[in-house]
Amino acid sequence: MLVTTPQTDFEPIHSMLMNNSLSSKAIIGAVELHIFDRLDGRALTAAALAEEGGWVTTRLEPLLDILVAADLLTRNNGEYTNTPVASEFLVTTAPLYQGDCMALTMRFASSVENAIAELVAGGEVDRTEADNGWALEKVMEGTAQDACGVALPRVVQLVAGLPGFHDFRTMADVGGNHGHYTMGVLEQNPDMRGTIFDLPHVAEQSRLRCERFGFGDRIATQGLDFRKQALPAGQFDLILMSHILYGFKGDLGSTLGKIADGLKPGGWFVSHHFSRHQTNGGEMAKASLELITRLAGYPSHFIEQEELSEHLASAGFTDVRFEPVSAKGLGLMTAARKPA
Ligand SMILES: C[S@@+](CC[C@H](N)C(=O)[O-])C[C@H]1O[C@@H](n2cnc3c(N)ncnc32)[C@H](O)[C@@H]1O
């Protein structure tokens, strides 16, 4: 029989195939074309914008319509302008600009997305480039943009609200990279100093960045592989780890033991990482993040509250608290105290 009547509906899958990867690439393309810079605070027709940019109107128009569908532009009487989200995050000069962060996320996905079958069957991605890339200026900038755009203010707020915060004098930021978490905390307490610990080639770039932001005299940077080396013992009022604990997931017990050793009695450990089992965040986003992560050869991008609670208790931490970063995201903040 030539004509078979479908019994179920394949349309949603078909539109998913059409939408998903194209719409994200369309947004990146629009950022590269500086469309949001040109439409910030003014409304233009596709033809006027195309003339300004030297582009082809009939090709620009459907791109603008994707941006309307993504709630990044509005269209009124044929004129397009930025939505507040586009103005806040996609205009190059905006304090919370996310362009480099988006490029970074897409690059992470692109390392696996065309080889899924091969990687599920056991193929390996070459991780050298990704692992070495943390020190590259663009990667560091993208990572900083990601932090600034979402979690940084919440993590700083949580730290600044910890009991005794104004008596804190020293902090360590393990895997601190761009240094914004340390700089953000130090801004809240003028008597504090910080040390950023990261892999040696990254720590050198962290130092240059902290100097550039005016924190050169309050932040030290030190090359350290936390997998193989320990922090100085009993030195810190606060040890912060943002988006790095995943790498130690198979060995959380001894890792938390090393963190406890680095803290002064009564000092606080704060972690910020993704958790899958929150009610927040879409299932597709969670599953996609984990697929990319595992295919790229990393153990996981999630650490759950229950798992961490158990290990924190075994390592002797008390006063354990958890807070989501936002209502819609996957970020989970954890704070726990070493007994005084
Ligand atoms: C995902 S980035 C997180 C950067 C920053 N903390 C943030 O949340 O935006 C992970 C950082 O951990 C560092 N890192 C990875 N493995 C490490 C190790 N074994 N010892 C020290 N740092 C490590 C990387 O170089 C990178 O700077």
Side-chain angles (χ1 to χ4, degrees):
M1 202 163 57
L2 206 63
V3 178
T4 306
T5 305
Q7 300 302 300
T8 57
D9 186 6
F10 194 65
E11 289 286 331
I13 304 298
H14 201 253
S15 40
M16 197 194 290
L17 295 176
M18 199 122 77
N19 291 340
N20 274 5
S21 98
L22 189 63
S23 52
S24 44
K25 286 181 179 145
I27 296 169
I28 297 277
V31 169
E32 283 170 11
L33 290 170
H34 296 283
I35 285 177
F36 303 104
D37 292 348
R38 291 176 186 274
L39 293 178
D40 200 36
R42 65 191 190 130
L44 291 177
T45 62
L49 182 60
E51 188 174 338
E52 228 188 70
W55 305 317
V56 182
T57 308
T58 50
R59 296 183 184 183
L60 177 65
E61 198 166 25
L63 174 59
L64 298 180
D65 287 335
I66 287 189
L67 304 176
V68 171
D71 289 329
L72 293 172
L73 296 181
T74 57
R75 183 185 50 221
N76 276 317
N77 300 323
E79 290 187 325
Y80 298 85
T81 193
N82 283 355
T83 61
V85 172
S87 291
E88 189 167 17
F89 295 108
L90 298 178
V91 172
T92 333
T93 51
L96 297 182
Y97 176 63
Q98 295 292 305
D100 299 295
C101 163
M102 288 161 56
L104 194 60
T105 306
M106 296 295 279
R107 211 184 65 174
F108 187 38
S110 73
S111 66
V112 304
E113 68 189 1
N114 293 324
I116 290 180
E118 186 190 322
L119 293 170
V120 169
E124 294 292 343
V125 162
D126 181 3
R127 272 174 45 179
T128 327
E129 197 191 329
D131 288 346
N132 291 341
W134 290 115
L136 297 177
E137 205 177 325
K138 273 280 174 203
V139 173
M140 199 172 261
E141 179 57 33
T143 311
Q145 286 175 7
D146 183 38
C148 295
V150 185
L152 179 68
R154 291 281 293 124
V155 172
V156 169
Q157 184 188 30
L158 177 130
V159 168
L162 290 173
F165 173 70
H166 290 288
D167 298 324
F168 288 8
R169 294 293 172 266
T170 50
M171 72 172 280
D173 184 355
V174 182
N177 193 273
H178 45 76
H180 283 254
Y181 282 99
T182 301
M183 293 189 269
V185 170
L186 264 52
E187 227 173 29
Q188 300 297 314
N189 179 341
D191 297 323
M192 270 180 91
R193 290 174 174 271
T195 306
I196 293 175
F197 294 93
D198 208 307
L199 299 171
H201 65 294
V202 184
E204 175 55 19
Q205 294 306 315
S206 310
R207 184 182 64 77
L208 297 175
R209 197 174 165 97
C210 292
E211 278 172 6
R212 184 148 54 85
F213 278 85
F215 282 84
D217 56 339
R218 294 177 65 200
I219 298 178
T221 52
Q222 196 171 315
L224 169 129
D225 183 343
F226 195 48
R227 201 173 299 285
K228 301 179 187 148
Q229 294 164 281
L231 297 170
Q235 292 269 313
F236 300 104
D237 296 299
L238 168 72
I239 295 179
L240 180 74
M241 289 177 75
S242 170
H243 285 317
I244 167 167
L245 213 50
Y246 318 107
F248 302 87
K249 192 174 156 93
D251 201 11
L252 277 180
S254 69
T255 303
L256 291 170
K258 281 170 78 175
I259 292 166
D261 290 344
L263 285 169
K264 294 178 187 169
W268 285 85
F269 167 55
V270 170
S271 172
H272 160 239
H273 57 264
F274 290 139
S275 146
R276 183 173 200 153
H277 294 142
Q278 300 200 77
T279 48
N280 308 338
E283 286 311 310
M284 189 59 93
K286 292 178 193 175
S288 304
L289 175 64
E290 192 64 354
L291 178 67
I292 296 169
T293 304
R294 292 203 198 171
L295 294 188
Y298 299 95
S300 179
H301 230 119
F302 296 113
I303 298 176
E304 301 312 327
Q305 190 166 320
E306 303 70 32
E307 188 182 0
L308 197 49
S309 289
E310 256 175 51
H311 287 292
L312 283 166
S314 307
F317 283 94
T318 57
D319 216 345
V320 180
R321 35 188 98 176
F322 293 96
E323 259 185 61
V325 169
S326 68
K328 290 191 184 154
L330 306 176
L332 178 70
M333 301 179 293
T334 306
R337 188 174 209 171
K338 175 175 170 173

